[in-house]
Every structure is written in C-alpha cells, then in structure tokens.
Amino acid sequence: MNFNLSEEHLMIRDAARDFAQTELLPGVIDRDNKQHFPDELVKKMGELGFMGIMVDPKYGGSGMDTISYVLIMEELSKIDASASVMVSVNNSLVCYGLEAYGTEEQKQKYLTKLATGEYLGAFCLSEPEAGSDATSQKTTALDKGDHYILNGTKNWITNGGRANVYIVIAQTDRDKGSHGINAFIVERGTDGFHIGPKEDKLGIRGSDTHTLQFNDVKIPKENRIGTNGSGFRFAMKTLSGGRIGIASQALGIAQGAYELALKYSKERKAFGTEISNHQAIAFKLADMYTEIEAARLLVMKSAKDKDLGKNYDRSSAVAKLYASKVAMEHTVEAVQIHGGNGFVKEYHVERLMRDAKITQIYEGTSEIQKIVISRSILRD
Ligand code: CAA
C-alpha cells in the first residue's frame, strides 16, 4: 500500500489545478447565474486531454489511469462542478462504454472524436418513470431487421442540448425484463430526435440538462452496443465507473468548500480574534478535514480497484455514498463558517452547497448506493 502520489500524478493534478484556477474560476459565478458553459472551455479541456482521460491513445485518448481521472475531477470540481460533470459523463459513461463494449467501427467513428473533445457525449438512461428503477425502461427499440425504431422520452440528460453522440438505453423485448434491454448510439440531428427545453436547476447550473424525445427514430443495427440484450449490464458496469467520477466530484466540492472556509476563518475576526481561534469553528474545520480525507481514501481505493482490474461495483458505490454525504454536510458547514458572507454569491460557498446536492442524486441516489452495497455484502 502506497499513499503517496507519483511524480506523474502530481504533475497531472497540478495541470488540472492550474486550469481550474486560471480558466474556470474567473467566470464561474456568471456561468452559474446565466446557466451557461461556453464551448471554448469544453474545447480547452479537450486540448488538455481531459475529455478522454483513460482512453487508449490509439483512439485519441490520454491513456491515463483512473487515479489521474480522480485527481483531475477533484481539481475541476473544487472550482466548477458544472465543468466537471461534463468531463465525468463524457469520460466514464460515454468514452468508457464505447471503449469497453463498442465495436472497432464504433470506436473509430465515435470514440476518436469523443476522446479529443471534438465531440461531446451524453448517456441516456433515466426516464420520467425510470430513474432509480432503471430496469423499468419505457423507451422501446423495435427490431426491424437491419435497423431499430426508437420511441420514448429521456429525462435529466447531462450534455443533453449540446452533445453530438447519445448513448440511449431502451427496451427491445419487454418479456425478457433486464435481459431485453439494449444500448444504442444515436447521433444528434437524426430524424425524429428532439431536444426539449433546458432544465432550470438548483445546482450545477452551468451544465446542460435536457429532456430528450425520440419519435420513430431509425437506428442502424451497427449502432447497437454489445450483444443483443446486454444493455442493462452495459449500463450498470458503465455506471460503476461513473460513480467513481461523481464520488471524486463530491470530494472536490467538499475540498473546495473546506479550503475557502479555512482561509476565511483565519481572516475574519469576531470577539477580538480570528474566528479560527474559537473552538466552535476550529472543531468544524477538524471534522471537515477528517471526513474529507476519509472520503478521498475511499475514492482512491475504488479508482485503484478499477486500475488493478478488480471488481469496483461495491467500492464505487461506497465511495459515492460517503463522498456525497461529506460534500453535502461540509458545504453547509462552510456556509455556516462564512456567516452572512456565506449566503452571498461572491464568496462561492453557497454555490458549492447547491452543487453538492446533486452528487447524492445522480448516477444512483444514495438510497440506490445502499441497495448496491447491501446486496454486495450480503452475497459475501
Ligand atoms: N454488473 C453486471 N450485471 C449487473 C450489475 C452490474 N453492476 N448490476 C446488476 N446486474 C445484473 C444482475 O445480475 C441481474 O442479472 P440476472 O437477471 O441475470 O440475475 C440484472 O442485471 C438485473 O439486476 P437487478 O435484479 O439487481 O436489478 P434491479 O431492478 O433490482 O435494479 C439497481 C438494480 C441497482 C437498483 C439499478 O436499477 C440501478 O443502479 N439503478 C440506478 C440507476 C442510476 O444509477 N441512474 C443514474 C442515471 S445516469 C446519470 O445520472 C448520468 C448523468 O447524466 C450524470
């Protein structure tokens, strides 16, 4: 066991930190207010290799490991969780899914562009009536020989309005339940594919979240990912990696709030001294530090499991459950430490508190993580 980061990992972390400070920080409040994340910043993240972090360089990726992914996600999320969710979805749910389960043709056609940031990807599983209960897919894809016909609605889709490539999960044979589900690649602009209005959200307001509608969308058979009926397992395996991404996002949000609170507590004076000299504040900082450190170890453990080729379904659920709880609780504490200033946008912590909430909801709610963990430990 080695708890030290390598020189290479430190360089990767520093590059992400530098990008977050110089490029993301300046406009982050404005982007949150306007609910907008500019294409130029996505392009820059692509140039830095952040859009295909773990993808093999032969497909245009950076060929880094999952530890590097976590480090980049933490640094981006400390400053702007709207940027980091775009990175997480593109990397974990779209690039990984295609690299691990796609055909060579699919990789050449889509992955090479997604990994460089030329294309942006979206992952479409959730529906109005199938959020946590992901096997209850109402979207259908009827097999018509050389193509499928796709009908249905997908909700809360990250990158929904601006993606080029959408991985869509749909039911192809209802009688087979989870074994009758498939995953398809749908290109933006395909006839019958409509992008609904953007959601007005509590947090991660710079990220682009939409409802999508598919009306008799014709999908060539070669756009199915994996063998017939493997779509649910594809979604579950892909989401396990996604949960490492969201866990590291939660970690970054918590760390960002902690750093702001620590700095503020050494500057702000009350009762004749800096507030960090009051035990009420110092103990809050101690709790924040301890629990964030514990979350980091869980996130790194799961990333390491993935890099070692071990099963990471359980460790990713544990990391996400814990890191998202820490992010929610300690962003609230960071606002408290800032007092009245914490309620004001220019101090950043109120945004981090709003952004933290989604980490307990998307890519499986905390309650879903407990299902995954409890089933896993009871199987032992
Ligand atoms: N790997 C491989 N196979 C798996 C698996 C995994 N991780 N998890 C389940 N399966 C298999 C099961 O073994 C089972 O196969 P058999 O029938 O052969 O035994 C089959 O899949 C069905 O599994 P379950 O019986 O466990 O299914 P379930 O209905 O009880 O649901 C669940 C399981 C864990 C609750 C699942 O529905 C789930 O994870 N729900 C949450 C969905 C989710 O995370 N949504 C997030 C949306 S994406 C998003 O948020 C992206 C974004 O934009 C940020």
Side-chain angles (χ1 to χ4, degrees):
M1 223 186 301
N2 179 2
F3 290 103
N4 296 319
L5 291 174
S6 67
E7 282 301 313
E8 196 186 342
H9 282 137
L10 289 170
M11 275 170 56
I12 291 163
R13 186 199 63 186
D14 291 348
R17 185 173 292 178
D18 186 53
F19 172 78
Q21 287 294 330
T22 55
E23 301 281 355
L24 294 182
L25 184 58
V28 65
I29 293 172
D30 193 46
R31 292 194 294 275
D32 178 69
N33 282 336
K34 293 184 179 149
Q35 296 205 84
H36 176 66
F37 193 88
D39 290 331
E40 310 88 79
L41 284 174
V42 180
K43 197 165 165 282
K44 282 186 184 170
M45 292 196 287
E47 284 162 7
L48 285 166
F50 293 171
M51 302 308 281
I53 297 167
M54 294 162 288
V55 176
D56 191 321
K58 76 176 176 189
Y59 299 118
S62 304
M64 295 190 240
D65 58 8
T66 316
I67 299 285
S68 306
Y69 173 52
V70 166
L71 293 170
I72 294 167
M73 280 297 297
E74 180 180 347
E75 291 304 324
L76 301 182
S77 307
K78 271 160 68 174
I79 306 298
D80 189 348
S82 297
S84 71
V85 70
M86 290 186 199
V87 169
S88 184
V89 167
N90 200 71
N91 275 279
S92 292
L93 302 185
V94 183
C95 287
Y96 172 79
L98 283 171
E99 189 165 21
Y101 300 99
T103 62
E104 188 55 30
E105 290 71 31
Q106 290 168 350
K107 291 179 199 177
Q108 292 298 342
K109 190 169 177 189
Y110 301 109
L111 181 59
T112 50
K113 294 193 169 86
L114 287 159
T116 55
E118 184 184 339
Y119 275 7
L120 192 61
F123 182 82
C124 315
L125 172 69
S126 304
E127 299 186 352
E129 293 171 71
S132 291
D133 185 7
T135 39
S136 295
Q137 293 286 306
K138 297 275 188 300
T139 297
T140 54
L142 295 183
D143 190 340
K144 298 285 182 186
D146 66 341
H147 66 274
Y148 287 89
I149 293 293
L150 182 69
N151 277 290
T153 305
K154 294 290 175 182
N155 272 27
W156 313 292
I157 303 304
T158 304
N159 300 340
R162 61 204 302 183
N164 310 83
V165 175
Y166 297 76
I167 294 183
V168 182
I169 314 295
Q171 189 81 53
T172 45
D173 187 343
R174 197 162 300 287
D175 293 341
K176 291 187 178 156
S178 70
H179 294 268
I181 289 175
N182 276 295
F184 301 95
I185 301 165
V186 180
E187 292 183 27
R188 183 190 186 85
T190 309
D191 283 347
F193 172 21
H194 302 289
I195 298 170
K198 188 168 170 156
E199 299 291 355
D200 188 0
K201 309 192 296 287
L202 170 76
I204 54 163
R205 288 171 57 80
S207 80
D208 185 52
T209 313
H210 290 256
T211 294
L212 307 176
Q213 187 76 42
F214 301 92
N215 298 329
D216 290 332
V217 175
K218 190 173 171 184
I219 312 167
K221 209 134 209 188
E222 64 264 25
N223 279 22
R224 190 185 75 211
I225 303 173
T227 53
N228 189 22
S230 65
F232 189 72
R233 263 148 297 280
F234 164 84
M236 290 298 110
K237 291 310 287 180
T238 306
L239 276 166
S240 287
R243 288 166 187 166
I244 300 175
I246 300 307
S248 51
Q249 179 184 51
L251 172 66
I253 293 171
Q255 178 69 26
Y258 162 73
E259 288 177 14
L260 289 168
L262 183 68
K263 181 167 176 285
Y264 185 83
S265 73
K266 291 195 232 171
E267 292 164 0
R268 173 78 177 179
K269 288 189 176 163
F271 305 102
T273 184
E274 288 77 16
I275 59 171
S276 58
N277 292 326
H278 298 299
Q279 197 179 63
I281 301 299
F283 277 17
K284 280 189 199 299
L285 292 166
D287 283 341
M288 287 170 110
Y289 175 84
T290 306
E291 291 180 21
I292 291 168
E293 193 65 5
R296 182 172 293 105
L297 293 175
L298 289 175
V299 178
M300 287 298 185
K301 159 77 167 59
S302 186
K304 197 69 190 169
D305 283 349
K306 183 163 178 282
D307 285 337
L308 291 173
K310 292 182 173 179
N311 188 307
Y312 50 95
D313 294 338
R314 186 198 300 183
S315 63
S316 62
V318 170
K320 183 182 180 289
L321 175 67
Y322 188 70
S324 61
K325 177 174 173 284
V326 166
M328 195 65 251
E329 289 178 2
H330 292 313
T331 50
V332 171
E333 287 294 64
V335 171
Q336 190 69 16
I337 290 172
H338 279 75
N341 283 329
F343 216 60
V344 174
K345 291 198 173 194
E346 71 172 280
Y347 284 82
H348 296 284
V349 281
E350 64 81 32
R351 187 187 70 258
L352 292 168
M353 184 183 81
R354 287 187 284 108
D355 288 353
K357 187 60 211 168
I358 192 62
T359 66
Q360 295 184 302
I361 297 173
Y362 58 19
E363 302 209 15
T365 61
S366 296
E367 292 74 14
I368 290 295
Q369 306 313 322
K370 289 183 189 179
I371 292 179
V372 173
I373 298 162
S374 58
R375 284 183 182 174
S376 169
I377 56 178
L378 290 167
R379 260 197 311 268
D380 275 354

